[in-house]
Amino acid sequence: EANAVMDVFVEAVTEALAENDEIFLVGFGRFIKAKVKARDGRNPKTGKAMKIPAYMQPRFKAGIKLKEACNRTEKPKKRKN
């Protein structure tokens, strides 16, 4: 069941980014599409200079609650079932 939920989530994020929308999950973070500028590079195999064209890159920016959870110094309490 969890796999089905994740599949729906990934599909929703993918479709939203393809349509230039952003996905906001309050407290968790947001998924956005950012432009990477064109630049000069080198072919690692041949060493030949080449132009790398601009492209769009998916990005994730963590929300405050997620950042706080990652930077907690005490261990979280285990939940009782």
Side-chain angles (χ1 to χ4, degrees):
E1 191 174 311
N3 285 337
V5 171
M6 285 304 299
D7 289 343
V8 170
F9 175 75
V10 169
E11 185 177 331
V13 170
T14 303
E15 287 178 13
L17 292 177
E19 295 174 7
N20 293 323
D21 289 336
E22 294 182 5
I23 300 285
F24 290 94
L25 301 171
V26 177
F28 183 72
R30 66 183 176 145
F31 294 89
I32 59 173
K33 197 161 105 172
K35 186 172 184 175
V36 177
K37 294 180 182 178
R39 64 188 191 278
D40 295 326
R42 291 210 172 268
N43 181 328
K45 194 171 189 178
T46 64
K48 184 178 178 183
M50 57 187 280
K51 298 277 185 190
I52 300 171
Y55 60 94
M56 299 304 286
Q57 172 96 14
R59 300 269 169 94
F60 175 76
K61 183 168 181 172
I64 292 173
K65 289 182 182 178
L66 182 59
K67 287 179 187 178
E68 288 173 351
C70 290
N71 290 299
R72 246 187 243 141
T73 55
E74 76 266 1
K75 292 182 182 179
K77 296 178 182 177
K78 291 184 180 180
R79 289 199 251 174
K80 294 180 183 178
N81 291 341

